[in-house]
Amino acid sequence: MHIAIVGATGNVGKRITAEALARGHHVTAISRNPDNSGDNEQLRSVHGDAHKPMALAQSLAGHGAVVSAVMFLQSDPAQLVDAVRASGVKRYLAVGGAGSLEVAPGRLNIDEPDFPAFAKAEAARGKAFLDYLREVRDLDWTFLSPSSIFTAGKRTGVFRLGKDALLTGADGKSWISYEDYAVALLDEIERPQHIRERFTVGY
């Protein structure tokens, strides 16, 4: 498959790119500062700006799926969705956040007293992004939320999937590595199970 990744040079974007390439897909890595040093027949790095939807749409055209892995504070859901629409691509996946997950029925993670203050602005924008997507009917979108702790680690391929509830392990820790998150995202691209839905991944 040909996959376009917006924000491909970020922490998550790099892992998604690597996982896609390892599975034999062709990747267009889109970022404001593209790195062409590792380009090969499967990888093409191009410049793109999430705030310039019409120009971005030209880079997205012709792909089987688009992934956005950009910070919520550095993007606008309407502009990204407009770019995907204009490109003609129907499959759109967004790297989500954990703030909008429920810790109990009707209680969001972002509203918990121990939710990190430094992460609240990004998390609030992530919730707004998801709310926006839930009104989109003309794209086959998916929003994949990580667990609370989202960090570099190992690719194990062993994790759990959920829907709208925060996943917590037996040790009380809620986390997922960038590497295993990328596995879950590519699994969803290859075998769609969550069309116009949010789901989550954790250990």
Side-chain angles (χ1 to χ4, degrees):
M1 184 184 294
H2 289 261
I3 301 170
I5 302 174
V6 185
T9 57
N11 285 327
V12 189
K14 286 179 182 176
R15 272 72 171 194
I16 296 170
T17 299
E19 181 69 22
L21 293 173
R23 296 185 186 208
H25 298 295
H26 292 262
V27 174
T28 300
I30 302 170
S31 65
R32 288 179 295 182
N33 299 293
D35 178 7
N36 303 103
S37 59
D39 283 11
N40 55 52
E41 63 179 17
Q42 283 181 249
L43 175 65
R44 183 170 64 98
S45 297
V46 301
H47 176 270
D49 189 332
H51 292 291
K52 297 179 179 179
M54 292 307 101
L56 180 60
Q58 295 179 16
S59 297
L60 303 181
H63 290 82
V66 172
V67 177
S68 64
V70 293
M71 298 285 287
F72 296 119
L73 288 171
Q74 298 173 3
S75 62
D76 180 286
Q79 291 179 329
L80 281 167
V81 167
D82 283 348
V84 178
R85 281 185 177 128
S87 75
V89 180
K90 291 298 182 184
R91 189 73 172 109
Y92 171 54
L93 302 98
V95 174
S100 58
L101 291 166
E102 292 185 337
V103 296
R107 279 175 47 202
L108 298 184
N109 191 24
I110 191 176
D111 296 326
E112 292 298 284
D114 59 349
F115 192 85
F118 73 87
K120 279 207 168 186
E122 175 72 7
R125 286 288 290 271
K127 180 182 180 301
F129 198 115
L130 176 58
D131 289 343
Y132 184 88
L133 281 181
R134 281 174 166 156
E135 300 301 318
V136 174
R137 299 285 184 264
D138 59 333
L139 296 179
D140 293 336
W141 61 266
T142 298
F143 188 95
L144 176 54
S145 288
S147 293
S148 283
I149 300 172
F150 195 23
T151 187
K154 293 182 179 179
R155 183 194 187 283
T156 69
V158 180
F159 45 75
R160 295 181 294 148
L161 300 180
K163 288 297 293 294
D164 293 310
L166 183 73
L167 294 175
T168 303
D171 58 359
K173 188 177 179 181
S174 174
W175 77 290
I176 189 71
S177 69
Y178 297 139
E179 289 78 5
D180 275 339
Y181 178 96
V183 174
L185 188 76
L186 263 295
D187 287 349
E188 175 65 23
I189 291 175
E190 294 177 348
R191 298 179 297 279
Q193 301 292 319
H194 302 91
I195 299 296
R196 299 192 190 102
E197 290 181 351
R198 182 262 292 281
F199 75 111
T200 187
V201 57
Y203 295 124

